[in-house]
């Protein structure tokens, strides 16, 4: 990929936008140097890396390289025995810690993000270098007393010597004999030595060495002779301290020099990972997608293909440098049954922007960047992207001359092949229109022969007819609203554009006489071509309208069918409910009659015994006959047979309140909440979470009686769960899901108590688990484990019981 063609597309501005998302200079340099590649495997690798980074940022928004800096130059200097200052050693420490943190975060994600995990796995944490620098330096770059026993001793003695010196000077300035000679009773410092301010007129009254004089000349700063030895001793200790600090910094520099190669490699890996994160951030900023990579082979067919089957298929593509709030998306498809598209239409209508959009998105794709388009967009890997664009309305380009256009095209012809993308703006322009149109047709014919995917723009009417009549070439247009005198910027493939010059002139109020003369001066061929193309346009628009109406009618029919099926299901469910309620009422009435008959039988028996067996007073036989009649009636009131298969509705049609069946629990409940792909179901006295597609629809919601805890009985279903649940190594959200499912399984298996093993660590998992257990409907109580059970790394849970 040659920069001259990429610069024409303003690819450098894409890189500048990308660089704004990098975190340090090394990755910024990689971003600005990023170029498209022509190897399919390399493009696929780059795109996967960007997608992995974007997926990681979706769940780990804090992921970054932290405070890393490009310290490769410092590492190389240290390798040459240079002494590094403390601030450079701190920069190296911060960079190594950033590398270590990324290593810990990404190296184990070999399934979730294999490419980035592999890069992070190559980072050398260099713990010993980090520990040694942080043992010797504080966060401000000061060498700590703990850096060496010698430095600690020197600083202790230096502090004591300084205190003795200052105490001697304080006594001197507060003495009544000397204080009257001083400007102020203070001790200050000049030239690194402690002095007192003597009035110049009392020179010699206090013996000492003059170290400085005030700007006014009224004050002499003298070091009294009585403190010279103390000052000297303190200075000697300060010099010894500087020597020891230099020795420590040299030791740290040597340690860095020994690991210079690993540090340099770590910076390179951090820069590459940060570039991947920057590409992910840029993808979010553009609302970008990873396009499907297609085979660089065309044309695929002699017959028309749907847009999504073309090797180059950009859906709702947007120019990445234009304001996303105002840019008009375009659909471009090429390479199926045609390899050349001729875009015609008025100036400022969007022809050049369309060409640049296709070229930029192809370059971005091969550089590993996501493209601003819809999911389902497709791009091949081009061997070269060649453009000759003289931007008349400009995205910051000046008008090109015919000779410069032709020079570029000659160079382009020497390189373009069957795997190339060619973009030509105003092909054949800048010269005599007849010759220009002929030259344009000849160039298009050549690119058609080479099978280069080609998009070109033009005003020539001859090219519209040529595209209409030449297999492998397709018309396209950008439209202009004559009523508002403004372009729509919409690209339509399959229809030629109109210049609209006479229509615009008429709209602006040009004399009708002049317009009539202009129309009379048009050649018959031009008029015939315009009529032909207008007929084609009208026919195409009519076909599109008919197809759209057909699709809308089909969609309405499918919707009606779905609604009818739904209503039939509801009617069937309502019928079942009515019959079931009627039979339940009949059972209750029969039971009530049976109870009354038993009461009468008992009363009759009692009265019969009282009458000493009188037959008239003992109607037990009729009562028995009535009981048998009731039982025969009850046998006829049978429950409704269950359906052979649970009736289901699509997930999207399930509503809160529906009755559903949970196969994993062998229970029915009411759908309480739908959250994406998950659902919450009320079963008896508690709620469970499960995947929405695992629920079986059992009927539309109707007011239910308040669920009673007795509706769900504990049972052993399948193998009983273990008495212990191990959570160590899980994230908080994974632990919550695991505990929820485990408690349900343990409850249904009738386990009296269980152990949840979360470990001690930082206490995060322990806190998450115990917060979840508080108020849980299945938990009677919980407590930390005893020392013999595992201590505070285990929580013992006593489960509730349901009789």
């Amino acid at each position: 990929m040659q920069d001259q063609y990429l610069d024409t597309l303003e690819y450098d501005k894409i890189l500048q936008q990308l660089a704004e998302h990098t975190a340090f200079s090394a990755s910024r340099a990689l971003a600005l140097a990023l170029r498209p590649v022509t190897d399919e495997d390399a493009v696929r690798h780059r795109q996967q890396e960007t997608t992995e980074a974007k997926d990681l940022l979706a769940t780990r928004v804090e992921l970054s390289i932290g405070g890393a800096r490009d310290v490769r130059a410092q590492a190389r200097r240290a390798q040459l025995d240079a002494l590094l200052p403390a601030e450079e050693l701190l920069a190296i420490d911060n960079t190594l810690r950033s590398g270590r943190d990324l290593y810990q975060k990404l190296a184990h994600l070999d399934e979730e993000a294999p490419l980035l995990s592999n890069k992070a796995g190559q980072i050398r944490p260099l713990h010993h270098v980090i520990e040694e620098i942080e043992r010797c330096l504080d966060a401000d770059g000061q060498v700590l007393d703990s850096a060496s026993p010698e430095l600690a001793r020197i600083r202790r003695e230096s502090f004591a010597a300084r205190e003795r010196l200052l105490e001697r000077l304080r006594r001197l300035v507060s003495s009544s004999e000397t204080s009257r000679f001083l400007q102020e009773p203070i001790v200050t410092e000049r030239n690194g030595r402690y002095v007192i301010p003597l009035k110049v007129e009392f020179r010699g009254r206090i013996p000492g060495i003059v170290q400085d004089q005030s700007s006014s000349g009224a004050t002499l700063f003298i070091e009294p002779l009585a403190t010279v030895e103390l000052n000297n001793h303190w200075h000697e200790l300060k010099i010894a301290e500087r020597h020891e600090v230099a020795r420590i910094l040299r030791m740290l520099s040597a340690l860095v020099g020994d690991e210079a190669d690993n540090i340099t490699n770590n910076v390179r890996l951090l820069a590459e990972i940060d570039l991947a994160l920057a590409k992910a951030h840029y993808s979010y900023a553009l609302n970008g997608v990873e396009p499907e990579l297609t085979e660089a082979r065309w044309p695929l067919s002699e017959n028309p293909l749907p847009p999504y089957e073309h090797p180059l298929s950009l859906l709702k593509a947007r120019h990445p440098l234009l304001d996303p709030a105002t840019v008009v998306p375009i659909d471009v498809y090429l390479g199926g049954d045609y390899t050349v598209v001729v875009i015609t239409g008025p100036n400022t209508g969007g022809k050049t922007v369309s060409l640049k959009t296709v070229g930029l998105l192809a370059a971005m794709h091969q550089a590993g960047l996501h493209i601003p388009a819809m999911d389902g967009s497709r791009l091949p890997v081009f061997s070269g992207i060649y453009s000759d664009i003289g931007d008349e309305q400009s995205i910051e380009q000046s008008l090109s001359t015919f000779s410069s256009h032709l020079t570029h095209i000659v160079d382009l012809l020497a390189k373009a092949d069957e795997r190339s993308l060619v973009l030509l703006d105003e092909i054949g322009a800048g010269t005599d229109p007849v010759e220009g149109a002929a030259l344009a047709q000849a160039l298009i014919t050549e690119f058609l022969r080479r099978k280069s995917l080609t998009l070109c723009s033009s005003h020539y009417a001859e090219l519209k007819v040529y595209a209409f009549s030449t297999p492998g070439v397709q018309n396209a247009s950008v439209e202009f609203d004559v009523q508002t005198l403004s372009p729509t910027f919409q690209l339509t493939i399959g229809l030629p554009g109109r210049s609209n010059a006479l229509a615009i002139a008429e709209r602006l109020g040009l004399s009708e006489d002049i317009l009539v003369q202009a129309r009379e001066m048009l050649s018959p061929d031009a008029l015939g071509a315009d009529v032909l193309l207008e007929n084609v346009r009208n026919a195409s628009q009519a076909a599109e309208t008919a197809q759209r109406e057909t699709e809308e009618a089909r969609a309405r029919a499918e919707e009606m069918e779905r609604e009818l099926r739904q209503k039939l299901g509801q009617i069937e469910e309502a019928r079942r409910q009515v019959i079931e309620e009627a039979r339940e009422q009949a059972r209750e009435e029969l039971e009530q009659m049976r109870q009354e008959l038993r009461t009468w039988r008992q009363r009759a028996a009692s009265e019969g015994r009282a009458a000493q067996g009188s037959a008239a007073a003992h109607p037990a036989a009729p009562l028995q006959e009535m009981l048998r009649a009731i039982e025969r009636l009850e046998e006829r009131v049978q429950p409704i047979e269950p359906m052979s298969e649970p009736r289901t509705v699509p997930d999207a049609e399930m509503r809160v309140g529906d009755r559903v069946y949970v196969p994993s629990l062998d229970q029915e409940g009411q759908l309480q909440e739908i959250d994406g792909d998950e659902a919450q179901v009320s079963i008896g006295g508690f709620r469970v979470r499960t995947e929405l597609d695992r629920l079986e629809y059992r009927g539309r919601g109707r007011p239910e009686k308040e669920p009673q805890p007795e509706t769900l009985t504990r049972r052993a279903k399948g193998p009983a769960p273990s008495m212990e649940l191990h959570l160590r190594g899980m994230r908080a959200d994974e632990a919550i899901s695991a505990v929820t499912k485990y408690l349900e399984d343990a409850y249904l298996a009738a386990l009296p108590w269980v152990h949840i093993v979360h470990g001690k660590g930082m206490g995060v998992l322990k806190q998450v688990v115990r917060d979840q257990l508080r108020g849980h409907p299945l938990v009677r109580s919980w407590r930390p484990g005893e020392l013999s059970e595992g201590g505070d790394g285990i929580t013992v849970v006593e489960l509730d019981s349901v009789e």
Side-chain angles (χ1 to χ4, degrees):
M1 296 285 177
Q2 293 184 330
D3 284 350
Q4 69 179 90
Y5 299 114
L6 295 175
D7 290 344
T8 301
L9 298 171
E10 298 177 299
Y11 176 75
D12 57 317
K13 293 185 178 180
I14 297 294
L15 298 185
Q16 291 169 11
Q17 290 185 347
L18 172 65
E20 293 301 315
H21 295 281
T22 58
F24 74 133
S25 58
S27 54
R28 180 179 180 84
L30 290 181
L32 294 175
L34 187 64
R35 293 293 182 274
V37 293
T38 58
D39 179 73
E40 287 190 7
D41 290 337
V43 172
R44 190 174 286 107
H45 183 279
R46 288 185 174 192
Q47 285 289 336
Q48 181 183 343
E49 194 173 73
T50 304
T51 300
E52 285 183 8
K54 190 173 181 180
D55 291 343
L56 286 176
L57 287 177
T59 56
R60 299 169 177 83
V61 293
E62 79 289 349
L63 187 63
S64 72
I65 62 161
R69 297 291 179 269
D70 188 358
V71 294
R72 289 174 290 191
Q74 292 88 330
R76 286 192 292 268
R77 283 172 40 224
Q79 198 172 27
L80 298 174
D81 296 329
L83 175 64
L84 301 182
E87 58 269 19
E88 292 185 359
L89 289 168
L90 277 183
I92 291 172
D93 175 64
N94 288 334
T95 302
L96 292 179
R97 280 196 290 111
S98 296
R100 181 183 63 186
D101 292 345
L102 269 185
Y103 174 85
Q104 293 171 346
K105 291 177 181 177
L106 299 181
H108 65 284
L109 301 178
D110 50 343
E111 293 186 3
E112 185 176 352
L115 297 183
L116 293 180
S117 174
N118 180 58
K119 281 189 189 296
Q122 299 176 46
I123 294 175
R124 296 293 176 265
L126 301 180
H127 300 291
H128 64 291
V129 178
I130 297 172
E131 292 168 359
E132 192 64 14
I133 292 176
E134 294 180 354
R135 184 184 69 82
C136 296
L137 302 179
D138 66 12
D140 297 323
Q142 299 298 316
V143 179
L144 297 168
D145 293 354
S146 58
S148 75
E150 179 66 10
L151 180 61
R153 181 191 66 77
I154 291 172
R155 284 182 172 172
R156 285 195 304 272
E157 293 183 6
S158 176
F159 178 79
R162 177 176 176 275
E163 288 300 311
R164 286 194 298 271
L165 171 60
L166 290 175
E167 179 59 28
R168 186 71 175 271
L169 288 171
R170 290 190 195 103
R171 288 202 303 268
L172 188 61
V173 299
S174 62
S175 169
S176 58
E177 296 179 0
T178 57
S179 60
R180 59 195 179 92
F181 302 134
L182 303 177
Q183 287 285 11
E184 295 179 81
I186 61 171
V187 177
T188 185
E189 188 176 351
R190 290 292 187 276
N191 299 325
R193 301 182 72 88
Y194 286 108
V195 296
I196 58 177
L198 179 69
K199 296 177 181 177
V200 70
E201 60 267 24
F202 295 120
R203 182 195 302 267
R205 293 297 183 93
I206 301 177
I209 302 170
V210 177
Q211 293 290 352
D212 199 2
Q213 186 175 15
S214 68
S215 57
S216 65
T219 304
L220 297 174
F221 295 97
I222 69 166
E223 179 184 358
L225 291 178
T227 63
V228 169
E229 285 302 320
L230 291 175
N231 244 330
N232 287 344
H233 181 58
W234 179 61
H235 263 275
E236 289 170 0
L237 290 172
K238 296 300 288 182
I239 292 170
E241 180 184 355
R242 287 198 297 271
H243 288 167
E244 181 62 13
V245 166
R247 185 193 69 79
I248 293 169
L249 293 179
R250 190 171 296 280
M251 178 269 295
L252 294 176
S253 300
L255 186 60
V256 169
D258 292 341
E259 298 289 352
D261 291 340
N262 284 329
I263 292 173
T264 299
N265 189 56
N266 282 0
V267 172
R268 176 185 63 82
L269 292 168
L270 284 172
E272 291 176 359
I273 292 173
D274 187 52
L275 177 61
L277 295 175
K279 291 191 293 183
H281 283 295
Y282 191 40
S283 177
Y284 277 116
L286 292 177
N287 195 21
V289 300
E290 177 184 352
E292 178 187 345
L293 194 152
T294 58
E295 185 179 357
R297 180 178 61 86
W298 44 73
L300 298 180
S301 171
E302 295 182 357
N303 301 316
L305 294 177
Y308 54 83
E309 291 188 8
H310 286 252
L312 187 154
S313 177
L314 299 175
L315 309 177
K316 303 300 179 186
R318 307 178 303 279
H319 193 294
L321 299 178
L322 298 180
D323 184 356
T326 58
V327 65
V328 177
I330 61 173
D331 293 339
V332 183
Y333 32 95
L334 183 61
D337 51 306
Y338 51 87
T339 59
V340 178
V341 169
V342 179
I343 306 174
T344 51
N347 285 334
T348 74
K351 298 189 299 296
T352 301
V353 171
S354 297
L355 295 181
K356 284 192 171 185
T357 299
V358 174
L360 269 179
L361 268 56
M364 291 171 66
H365 170 233
Q366 292 181 218
L369 299 173
H370 288 178
I371 63 172
M374 277 183 57
D375 274 327
S377 295
R378 315 171 80 214
L379 279 170
V381 174
F382 296 105
S383 60
I385 301 173
Y386 304 106
S387 59
D388 175 48
I389 298 177
D391 209 339
E392 295 175 356
Q393 75 275 15
S394 186
I395 301 177
E396 302 174 0
Q397 289 281 341
S398 61
L399 184 65
S400 300
T401 64
F402 174 73
S403 59
S404 64
H405 271 296
L406 202 55
T407 301
H408 291 154
I409 290 174
V410 169
D411 180 66
L412 188 154
L413 283 168
K415 300 168 182 173
D417 59 20
E418 71 278 0
R419 291 186 56 223
S420 299
L421 176 64
V422 178
L423 308 167
L424 301 174
D425 190 27
E426 299 296 344
I427 184 172
T431 186
D432 177 77
V434 176
E435 293 183 353
L439 181 60
Q441 291 185 46
L443 288 171
I444 292 174
T445 302
E446 176 61 18
F447 289 122
L448 183 62
R449 184 189 66 80
R450 296 189 183 196
K451 296 183 180 179
S452 301
L453 286 193
T454 306
L455 283 91
C456 55
S457 66
S458 176
H459 285 288
Y460 294 137
E462 293 87 344
L463 291 187
K464 304 175 190 178
V465 178
Y466 171 80
F468 179 70
S469 59
T470 305
V473 184
Q474 183 63 277
N475 272 303
S477 61
V478 289
E479 289 302 320
F480 189 90
D481 191 330
V482 178
Q483 299 301 317
T484 62
L485 298 181
S486 61
T488 65
F489 301 108
Q490 293 178 341
L491 178 69
T492 303
I493 292 182
L495 297 177
R498 294 172 290 186
S499 66
N500 295 304
L502 297 181
I504 293 172
E506 183 178 11
R507 179 70 176 166
L508 292 174
L510 189 63
S511 167
E512 181 63 28
D513 292 340
I514 297 175
L515 291 171
V516 170
Q517 292 181 36
R519 292 189 180 98
E520 290 175 350
M521 291 179 183
L522 290 173
S523 68
D525 291 342
L527 288 173
D530 282 344
V531 171
L532 173 63
L533 294 175
E534 185 64 22
N535 291 337
V536 171
R537 173 185 293 275
N538 293 336
S540 177
Q541 289 178 341
E544 288 182 0
T545 300
Q547 181 179 3
R548 184 170 58 253
E549 291 175 350
T550 301
E551 291 176 351
E552 291 174 354
R554 181 175 60 188
R556 287 194 299 269
E558 291 175 351
E559 177 66 16
M560 290 177 64
E561 181 182 5
R562 187 191 64 78
E563 290 179 358
L564 287 173
R565 289 181 181 276
Q566 188 67 35
K567 289 179 179 179
L568 285 174
Q570 293 173 351
I571 292 170
E572 171 63 15
E573 183 63 26
R575 184 188 69 83
R576 290 167 57 87
Q577 289 177 4
V578 168
I579 296 174
E580 185 177 352
E581 289 172 359
R583 290 182 174 176
E584 181 63 27
Q585 183 178 357
R587 290 192 200 95
E588 292 175 357
E589 292 175 354
L590 289 171
E591 180 61 27
Q592 185 177 0
M593 292 176 63
R594 182 185 291 109
Q595 291 295 336
E596 291 178 359
L597 289 172
R598 286 173 181 163
T599 301
W600 280 103
R601 184 174 60 185
Q602 293 172 358
R603 184 180 300 173
S606 176
E607 292 176 352
R609 286 193 296 272
Q612 298 179 352
S614 172
H618 188 66
L623 288 173
Q624 289 290 348
E625 182 59 30
M626 291 178 70
L627 282 174
R628 284 194 290 272
I630 291 173
E631 289 173 356
R632 287 194 295 272
L633 285 173
E634 189 177 28
E635 289 174 358
R636 296 175 59 186
V637 184
Q638 295 297 329
I640 295 178
E641 292 295 327
M643 296 181 68
S644 58
E645 295 182 0
R647 290 174 294 119
T648 62
V649 296
D651 296 346
E653 297 178 12
M654 278 196 185
R655 296 198 297 259
V656 171
D658 288 351
R659 291 188 299 107
V660 294
Y661 173 71
V662 185
S664 60
L665 300 179
D666 191 24
Q667 296 287 335
E668 278 195 15
Q670 187 177 57
L671 185 59
Q672 297 291 337
E673 179 184 337
I674 298 176
D675 183 10
D677 295 334
E678 293 189 345
Q680 187 178 87
V681 181
S682 172
I683 302 177
F686 70 97
R687 298 187 178 190
V688 297
R689 295 194 70 85
T690 184
E691 294 178 12
L692 185 61
D693 59 6
R694 293 191 177 182
L695 298 178
E696 295 178 359
Y697 173 76
R698 287 297 173 87
R700 282 298 177 208
R702 56 185 177 88
E704 291 189 351
K705 298 178 181 179
E706 186 68 24
Q708 300 298 321
E710 292 77 16
T711 59
L712 181 68
T713 58
R714 298 169 71 176
R715 69 193 69 188
K717 181 177 177 62
S722 170
M723 296 292 289
E724 287 188 348
L725 172 65
H726 292 266
L727 302 177
R728 285 176 293 190
M730 293 187 183
R731 297 198 301 267
D733 56 345
E734 296 174 337
I736 290 173
S737 298
V739 169
T740 298
K741 185 177 186 307
Y742 178 70
L743 290 177
E744 294 170 3
D745 293 342
Y747 179 88
L748 293 174
L751 297 182
W753 50 265
V754 292
H755 285 177
I756 298 179
V757 183
H758 41 66
K760 299 177 182 178
M762 301 296 292
V764 176
L765 276 182
K766 176 181 71 175
Q767 189 62 38
V768 167
V769 169
R770 292 179 179 177
D771 287 347
Q772 188 179 4
L773 294 176
R774 291 186 180 93
H776 196 288
L778 303 183
V779 175
R780 172 174 292 176
S781 65
W782 60 267
R783 61 174 175 81
E786 301 290 344
L787 189 61
S788 60
E789 296 173 318
D792 207 36
I794 285 180
T795 297
V796 180
V797 182
E798 182 182 3
L799 294 174
D800 208 342
S801 61
V802 177
E803 300 301 333

